[in-house]
Amino acid sequence: MEKHKVRVGITHGDINGIGYEVIFKAFAEPGMLDVCTPVIYGSPKAAAYHRKAIDSQVAFTTVASAGDIAEGRLNMVECYPEEVKIDFGQPTPESGRAAFLALERAVEDYKAGLIDAVVTAPINKNSIQNADFHFPGHTEYFEDRVGGGAKALMVLANSQMRVALATTHLPISQVAEAITPELLLEKLRLFHQSLRVDFRISIPRIAVLALNPHAGDGGLLGTEEAEKITPAIRHANNEGIHAFGPYAADGFFGAQMYHHFDGILAMYHDQGLAPFKALSMSDGVNITAGLPLVRTSPDHGTAYDVAGKGTADPNSFRQAIYAAVDIWNARRFDEEAHANPLRRQHNSDRHDDAEPKKRNQEISE
């Protein structure tokens, strides 16, 4: 298998947010160019404007295509050649279109084998909507573009925990109906596989959160735990997936039970992400598991309130780059480990092998 420094495509996100600021700040650390070969998908004009606004000295090199990227420098592929107006802190149709074009070019280059992984800067989910982007977020977009029928799983990871979501960008009024035993079993399978391969945990332990307060309180506060969640956990256990629960979410996080598990499956977005971000906002990473593409992002949004001020924290974005590289290498390791398995020896094989020995013995007698 060919060995090379991981080529990480970085989409610039919403150009009126903090995307360029966290990109430049992350690569202000010289050692980052030893971690990967980066290529930004964006606008040289927008990048130059941001760099001046935050007084950054980080240089980038514009290349015609990802096929021309070079190690040891911050490369950029131009995806938005028009003149661009930067309006810090404001979502605009122009900023949405620029974000969309960067995503499309990155996907195109990934499919062509020119990059290995994608790290996305934050987008505005409303301004990016158009005839070709009708998704509630990055996760669903990548599932459509590169999934090939595979299902995506949103996983948030930091130094303390890994949280996966059974439902993602869904109105709370639709969550209970969307949760089914089949959906939960699918998510548990995806999570188990990601923990085993992407995070190299040989026998992962997964905690499953309840949907209702007090885990339904024996049916008094809801029946989803008994009718949907517990059957899914039981079925997962029968498949060899070590899933436990359901646990009432408030007590689970309040008692710091997350320290005893390798992963947590939350039922809906804020159930998992509110405590996740409260406990560790600066180093969280959003990971799209389940797809052939390795895609990560910081766990924050466009941060319009601080855009252009030079005060954005780049640590989450830096951790997203580290995670993309680590996961890509983990998947290569897993592929190599299972590339040439030994042929299984069946009883019939052993019997056939034994027959000549038996006949030889009879002849010698």
Side-chain angles (χ1 to χ4, degrees):
M1 189 172 292
E2 179 187 357
K3 302 291 184 181
H4 62 264
K5 193 177 294 185
V6 182
R7 300 163 298 182
V8 177
I10 300 169
T11 58
H12 65 177
D14 191 296
I15 57 176
N16 293 331
I18 63 169
Y20 275 113
E21 181 175 341
V22 294
I23 291 170
F24 286 138
K25 283 183 174 179
F27 285 97
E29 184 178 315
M32 289 298 292
L33 294 177
D34 296 327
V35 173
C36 66
T37 300
V39 52
I40 303 171
Y41 289 88
S43 163
K45 297 182 181 71
Y49 189 94
H50 277 260
R51 191 172 60 174
K52 182 177 180 180
I54 64 172
D55 193 26
S56 172
Q57 304 304 310
V58 175
F60 61 89
T61 302
T62 303
V63 295
S65 76
D68 300 319
I69 63 177
E71 293 186 4
R73 71 185 187 194
L74 184 58
N75 304 272
M76 178 178 289
V77 170
E78 186 174 44
C79 305
Y80 194 82
E82 301 101 300
E83 289 297 326
V84 61
K85 182 180 184 297
I86 304 297
D87 192 1
F88 285 126
Q90 298 296 323
T92 64
E94 185 179 20
S95 67
R97 182 167 178 268
F100 170 71
L101 292 176
L103 282 171
E104 290 285 273
R105 183 64 181 273
V107 166
E108 178 184 324
D109 285 354
Y110 166 74
K111 289 180 176 179
L114 298 178
I115 58 174
D116 302 308
V118 173
V119 176
T120 57
I123 59 173
N124 181 289
K125 296 178 178 63
N126 184 43
S127 65
I128 198 174
Q129 297 295 319
N130 60 52
D132 295 311
F133 191 104
H134 43 80
F135 308 99
H138 278 118
T139 303
E140 297 82 0
Y141 167 82
F142 283 112
E143 180 181 273
D144 178 79
R145 290 295 195 268
V146 302
K151 295 296 184 180
L153 177 71
M154 182 185 291
V155 179
L156 276 290
N158 61 23
S159 56
Q160 299 190 65
M161 69 185 83
R162 305 170 192 88
V163 179
L165 303 181
T167 61
T168 53
H169 302 109
L170 193 66
I172 197 71
S173 60
Q174 300 175 21
V175 169
E177 183 179 356
I179 292 175
T180 64
E182 294 76 18
L183 173 73
L184 296 178
L185 183 58
E186 173 188 280
K187 299 299 182 181
L188 284 167
R189 288 167 177 162
L190 290 170
F191 201 15
H192 173 81
Q193 177 70 0
S194 179
L195 291 169
R196 191 188 66 78
V197 176
D198 297 340
F199 295 95
R200 299 191 186 185
I201 301 171
S202 57
I203 307 176
R205 291 166 51 87
I206 301 173
V208 182
L209 300 184
L211 174 65
N212 297 298
H214 308 297
D217 220 354
L220 180 66
L221 301 179
T223 60
E224 285 81 6
E225 285 71 24
E227 296 176 356
K228 300 179 179 182
I229 302 176
T230 298
I233 293 173
R234 187 182 304 116
H235 199 135
N237 290 160
N238 292 337
E239 293 185 7
I241 298 172
H242 296 268
F244 305 85
Y247 298 101
D250 58 347
F252 182 88
F253 288 106
Q256 300 184 3
M257 292 176 66
Y258 49 85
H259 290 305
H260 303 294
F261 296 92
D262 302 298
I264 304 157
L265 181 65
M267 293 298 103
Y268 57 92
H269 188 280
D270 284 14
Q271 183 189 54
L273 299 199
F276 176 90
K277 294 186 178 184
L279 289 165
S280 183
M281 180 70 175
S282 64
D283 67 345
V285 178
N286 184 343
I287 298 163
T288 301
L291 303 181
L293 167 69
V294 175
R295 175 259 165 173
T296 67
S297 74
D299 71 348
H300 57 72
T302 54
Y304 286 139
D305 56 324
V306 298
K309 297 179 180 179
T311 59
D313 185 349
N315 190 47
S316 181
F317 190 84
R318 186 181 295 114
Q319 295 301 324
I321 295 172
Y322 292 153
V325 172
D326 287 345
I327 292 172
W328 190 87
N329 283 322
R331 292 187 182 182
R332 299 294 82 69
F333 176 85
D334 186 72
E335 287 178 7
E336 291 178 354
H338 297 89
N340 297 296
L342 293 174
R343 186 171 68 88
R344 184 174 180 179
Q345 296 294 315
H346 298 282
N347 289 335
S348 59
D349 294 335
R350 291 195 295 270
H351 175 74
D352 292 343
D353 291 340
E355 283 299 310
K357 295 179 182 178
K358 181 178 179 181
R359 287 194 295 270
N360 289 339
Q361 185 178 10
E362 290 174 349
I363 293 172
S364 65
E365 291 173 352

